[in-house]
Amino acid sequence: MKSLIIVCNNVSCLSPLLPDASSSSFVSSGCDHVSLRASKHNRVIQPQSSFLRHNIGGFNKSFLLYRKQSTNLVASVVSEQPVGPDNINPQSSLPNALDAFYRFSRPHTVIGTALSIVSVSLLAVQKLSDFSPAFFIGVMEAIVAAFFMNIYIVGLNQLSDVEIDKVNKPYLPLASGEYSFKTGVILVSLFAFMSFWVGWIVGSWPLFWALFISFLLGTAYSINVPMLRWKRFALVAAMCIVAVRAVIVQLAFYLHIQTFVYGRLAMFPKPVIFATGFMSFFSVVIALFKDIPDIVGDKIFGIQSFTVRLGQKRVFWICILLLEVAYGAAILVGASSPFLWSRYITILGHVLLALTLWGRAKSTDLENKSAITSFYMFIWQLFYAEYLLIPLVR
């Protein structure tokens, strides 16, 4: 006969289960509430109320269970299958590990970095024959090295913000306890080393300097030592993000393809200048907007972001206006293009993005943290879309 065993602080309760598949049992105890629905083939444990109820046919019997503070409840079902570690699927650990690393890597920043490198690399292409194996190898070398450095920067930021993230981003693996502090240190150290190793063996000075400057600014932004941790100061924090996202990414990775891969003279054509200017606006917006959902934790731990100083609503609309100005400038740049196809694509593309941004902003509930966080990810989607348009600017 199948039975249910409940162990509550060394107190065991044995409840028989009917063999009829239609019968069910609901169990709950103390602060930890569980319900167990038993059938012939499966049992499902779900949260329920704090009493034990047997449903047998049309009769209901309720038994009040002993409740004690800090009760530890262990429920196990004795059936044909043995209970113990052998029932745990060892393959579940790999998906969990991948999921934790996925969240640790902050994938929206990784995608943005990869797209930006591909986009600015295409600006160095002058003719069809430039799409050579050397070009694709050069792009992949830059992406891999930048990916490793990106993990270092976002990982170091999480190491420095564990307590803040417990309030603002409790789903991150360091804040949730999935990663220990030691694990985080090992990961960021390993990825920093691998980034510089790739940059060194490639032998491209523009690539190496891009990694080195990103390393310095990323470290100064996050690490909590005297005279550093620049994220505490709103203006300096914004300048760090602009320097990396707008200047280094555009110029250094373009020069990596232009000078190292193609062996041409260093020069900055109109599309590169446009990309640098436009992404300066966009990087300022990212630097400002990323703090809007995090206002609670920043206030608690003394991070004087613009959102803490000015308020969520005001910073939100400053970001929207900055992006709309950038889209307006992009439309003017497109209108000045001597190529008809580039003119139409640039103008139409940026008009659509500007209208989409405005419509989404008007419908966003600024009192809802989930809505603000969703809008922040929407800004990153606009960021991705812009890098699809930049190679078409001529």
Side-chain angles (χ1 to χ4, degrees):
M1 177 171 59
K2 305 179 181 67
S3 60
L4 173 68
I5 299 175
I6 305 286
V7 182
C8 307
N9 286 354
N10 300 324
V11 178
S12 299
C13 307
L14 180 63
S15 171
L17 297 180
L18 292 181
D20 184 4
S22 64
S23 67
S24 61
S25 299
F26 298 87
V27 183
S28 146
S29 176
C31 298
D32 299 306
H33 308 300
V34 299
S35 88
L36 183 142
R37 180 174 298 135
S39 69
K40 185 174 181 179
H41 300 290
N42 54 46
R43 292 163 175 81
V44 180
I45 295 179
Q46 299 174 336
Q48 285 293 340
S49 58
S50 58
F51 58 85
L52 172 63
R53 176 175 298 163
H54 282 265
N55 294 325
I56 307 175
F59 297 96
N60 293 325
K61 295 181 180 179
S62 299
F63 300 92
L64 184 63
L65 296 180
Y66 175 75
R67 181 165 183 163
K68 183 177 180 179
Q69 188 176 7
S70 304
T71 299
N72 295 321
L73 177 64
V74 180
S76 63
V77 178
V78 179
S79 64
E80 294 85 355
Q81 298 297 326
V83 177
D86 292 338
N87 283 344
I88 300 174
N89 184 4
Q91 294 180 349
S92 65
S93 60
L94 179 58
N96 291 340
L98 293 175
D99 177 67
F101 181 75
Y102 177 83
R103 285 178 279 119
F104 180 76
S105 68
R106 309 295 280 148
H108 61 278
T109 65
V110 173
I111 295 171
T113 299
L115 277 177
S116 62
I117 292 173
V118 173
S119 182
V120 298
S121 296
L122 290 172
L123 298 180
V125 175
Q126 298 179 0
K127 52 186 182 296
L128 192 60
S129 60
D130 285 344
F131 289 107
S132 61
F135 169 80
F136 292 105
I137 292 173
V139 171
M140 286 305 301
E141 290 170 340
I143 289 176
V144 171
F147 168 75
F148 291 156
M149 185 55 65
N150 200 107
I151 301 297
Y152 165 76
I153 292 173
V154 298
L156 180 65
N157 188 50
Q158 292 173 65
L159 282 172
S160 303
D161 286 354
V162 174
E163 296 304 319
I164 299 177
D165 287 340
K166 287 179 180 179
V167 178
N168 291 336
K169 304 180 183 75
Y171 54 86
L172 295 178
L174 282 166
S176 67
E178 293 170 89
Y179 283 176
S180 66
F181 190 85
K182 179 180 179 181
T183 299
V185 171
I186 292 173
L187 284 173
V188 298
S189 302
L190 178 63
F191 279 100
F193 171 79
M194 291 192 298
S195 179
F196 282 120
W197 179 73
V198 172
W200 183 258
I201 64 172
V202 168
S204 168
W205 281 110
L207 175 59
F208 184 84
W209 281 109
L211 300 174
F212 184 68
I213 296 174
S214 298
F215 172 84
L216 291 180
L217 292 178
T219 302
Y221 178 87
S222 295
I223 195 167
N224 194 8
V225 299
M227 300 186 68
L228 294 181
R229 193 164 172 76
W230 291 349
K231 68 179 299 178
R232 294 176 297 167
F233 314 107
L235 183 60
V236 180
M239 290 175 62
C240 286
I241 295 175
V242 170
V244 174
R245 287 283 173 192
V247 179
I248 294 175
V249 168
Q250 319 309 317
L251 302 184
F253 289 109
Y254 168 79
L255 289 176
H256 167 65
I257 301 297
Q258 175 76 0
T259 62
F260 177 75
V261 175
Y262 290 145
R264 298 169 182 159
L265 294 176
M267 54 184 297
F268 300 106
K270 174 184 172 181
V272 177
I273 297 173
F274 166 77
T276 304
F278 188 93
M279 285 304 165
S280 295
F281 275 87
F282 228 120
S283 299
V284 169
V285 170
I286 289 175
L288 294 177
F289 205 101
K290 71 178 184 62
D291 295 324
I292 296 179
D294 297 342
I295 186 172
V296 175
D298 288 350
K299 281 183 176 180
I300 293 173
F301 291 93
I303 302 298
Q304 294 299 309
S305 65
F306 281 111
T307 302
V308 172
R309 294 180 176 184
L310 303 178
Q312 289 178 304
K313 184 175 181 179
R314 184 176 297 180
V315 173
F316 178 88
W317 286 108
I318 288 174
C319 292
I320 301 303
L321 292 176
L322 284 174
L323 282 182
E324 295 292 359
V325 168
Y327 285 134
I331 291 170
L332 294 177
V333 171
S336 67
S337 174
F339 303 99
L340 189 62
W341 61 269
S342 177
R343 188 183 312 162
Y344 284 139
I345 292 175
T346 304
I347 293 175
L348 181 60
H350 288 99
V351 167
L352 289 175
L353 292 177
L355 292 175
T356 303
L357 170 66
W358 187 258
R360 179 71 180 266
K362 294 288 287 183
S363 63
T364 299
D365 180 8
L366 298 182
E367 301 298 325
N368 187 325
K369 181 178 179 179
S370 297
I372 296 174
T373 302
S374 176
F375 193 91
Y376 175 60
M377 300 312 299
F378 170 70
I379 287 179
W380 275 96
Q381 292 170 3
L382 295 177
F383 184 81
Y384 306 154
E386 187 59 35
Y387 273 117
L388 299 179
L389 288 175
I390 283 175
L392 303 177
V393 175
R394 288 293 184 265

